[in-house]
Amino acid sequence: MRVLLFTFLFYGFYIIEVNAEDYKGFGEYSFGPNVTETKACELALENAKKSVLSKVYGENIFSEDLMRCSETDGDGQCELNRSTISIINGSIKEMKSKERTLKRMEGYSICRLDIVAKIVKPEQKKDPNFDFSIKINKKYFRDKEKFMIEIEPSIKMFVNIFQWDPYGSEGIHLTKIFPNEYESNNEIKNKKIIPGKKHNYSFKVEYPHKTQDKKYVDEYLVIVSTKNNINFVTEFDFKSFQERISEIPNDEYRTKKISYEILKN
């Protein structure tokens, strides 16, 4: 019994993630008087994360249909939202070190973040035959306008769609909007419009009225397609969503992001 117990503890103590490696990267953000130093350095950090994740997942995984920000106040919030959501399908296991430097220039400043991050490299490559295209009926909406989603798969897949409203919740809070109680079948074989015509519901955008200082607000959809039907919960925060996605073999799913803006009436 003593030998068996010792062996169990020995192997339990030395479990390691063989595919985890440390990667170096950096990110910069130039900013003027309308952007706070804190916000600028948050953006620099997100750019640094993208640089190290691109070394593992490839640059193409983060090139999404995320439109340029139209915010007129120039406070950097839309850019931060866009940068943050762009890396939601890449997971950093541990941030080993962060070093921040600030350069003061004439009329503007530059925040730079140098990081070392531990990332678990996926065991499988993406399946190039498992893909889909996604688009929405408009890029710019007015309050209460309907929006529709068109998805065209390369082969049969199961689709889950999540929405992120950065101004309606604290942090990143993803809400599943499809499948739902009105349209529960998420198996898609051919081009499909969501909501379906035969289903008695619609999607409507809504300007977050507690945010009164912006002419436009940005919102995002995260689309997850899987080869097998996976039952995702209705709500996720950023970290738990990444953890859930990382549990799926890399060649059995694909994610895409798309953005749109709502004009204040």
Side-chain angles (χ1 to χ4, degrees):
M1 291 294 294
R2 291 181 181 178
V3 174
L4 288 174
L5 179 60
F6 174 78
T7 302
F8 174 77
L9 292 174
F10 179 84
Y11 283 107
F13 183 78
Y14 281 95
I15 290 175
I16 59 173
E17 292 173 294
V18 294
N19 291 329
E21 296 182 23
D22 291 348
Y23 294 86
K24 295 181 179 180
F26 75 91
E28 293 183 334
Y29 187 77
S30 302
F31 63 103
N34 291 334
V35 179
T36 66
E37 181 180 318
T38 299
K39 183 69 63 63
C41 291
E42 287 178 356
L43 275 156
L45 177 59
E46 294 304 318
N47 290 335
K49 290 177 183 178
K50 187 181 294 187
S51 75
V52 294
L53 287 167
S54 295
K55 294 177 181 179
V56 178
Y57 294 94
E59 293 184 2
N60 290 338
I61 197 170
F62 303 118
S63 59
E64 303 285 350
D65 190 12
L66 299 179
M67 61 200 300
R68 295 186 63 182
C69 296
S70 299
E71 58 185 10
T72 56
D73 50 10
D75 66 355
Q77 185 60 51
C78 174
E79 291 180 82
L80 180 59
N81 295 338
R82 186 180 59 178
S83 184
T84 301
I85 201 69
S86 72
I87 62 170
I88 198 167
N89 52 314
S91 181
I92 292 176
K93 188 69 177 179
E94 179 186 355
M95 189 68 70
K96 304 291 289 292
S97 68
K98 290 188 295 185
E99 183 178 349
R100 190 180 87 169
T101 55
L102 194 65
K103 295 181 181 179
R104 302 290 187 186
M105 314 296 284
E106 186 175 349
Y108 69 99
S109 301
I110 303 173
C111 183
R112 172 177 171 132
L113 264 294
D114 288 87
I115 67 172
V116 178
K118 178 180 286 186
I119 303 174
V120 179
K121 189 173 184 177
E123 294 182 1
Q124 305 90 359
K125 293 183 178 180
K126 286 293 182 189
D127 181 352
N129 296 314
F130 187 76
D131 202 355
F132 64 94
S133 64
I134 186 81
K135 62 181 180 180
I136 55 179
N137 56 312
K138 297 176 70 173
K139 286 292 189 178
Y140 301 94
F141 293 89
R142 291 189 176 274
D143 191 29
K144 308 301 184 189
E145 280 191 317
K146 293 181 180 181
F147 79 85
M148 295 177 291
I149 305 162
E150 180 183 291
I151 182 167
E152 185 171 5
S154 58
I155 57 175
K156 184 190 80 171
M157 57 183 56
F158 297 90
V159 174
N160 285 263
I161 302 175
F162 299 86
Q163 182 188 42
W164 177 38
D165 168 12
Y167 306 94
S169 61
E170 295 184 4
I172 295 189
H173 188 80
L174 295 167
T175 301
K176 185 170 69 175
I177 62 172
F178 179 84
N180 52 59
E181 61 180 307
Y182 304 101
E183 193 169 3
S184 58
N185 182 12
N186 65 331
E187 181 181 334
I188 298 178
K189 299 178 181 179
N190 302 296
K191 183 188 293 187
K192 178 179 175 65
I193 303 293
I194 303 170
K197 290 183 179 180
K198 66 179 181 179
H199 299 281
N200 189 27
Y201 78 102
S202 61
F203 294 135
K204 288 184 180 180
V205 301
E206 184 173 351
Y207 183 89
H209 292 286
K210 66 180 182 180
T211 306
Q212 295 294 329
D213 59 339
K214 289 180 176 293
K215 184 178 179 181
Y216 294 90
V217 293
D218 47 299
E219 293 188 356
Y220 302 85
L221 299 178
V222 179
I223 302 93
V224 183
S225 66
T226 54
K227 292 182 178 180
N228 300 305
N229 194 8
I230 297 175
N231 185 24
F232 289 93
V233 297
T234 305
E235 308 284 343
F236 281 102
D237 60 27
F238 187 89
K239 184 177 181 181
S240 61
F241 184 83
Q242 287 188 314
E243 290 172 347
R244 185 68 181 91
I245 292 296
S246 68
E247 295 171 358
I248 309 170
N250 198 43
D251 60 345
E252 293 187 9
Y253 81 96
R254 191 174 290 273
T255 64
K256 293 190 177 183
K257 285 88 66 179
I258 194 166
S259 63
Y260 56 93
E261 293 191 346
I262 306 172
L263 175 64
K264 180 179 178 182
N265 288 338

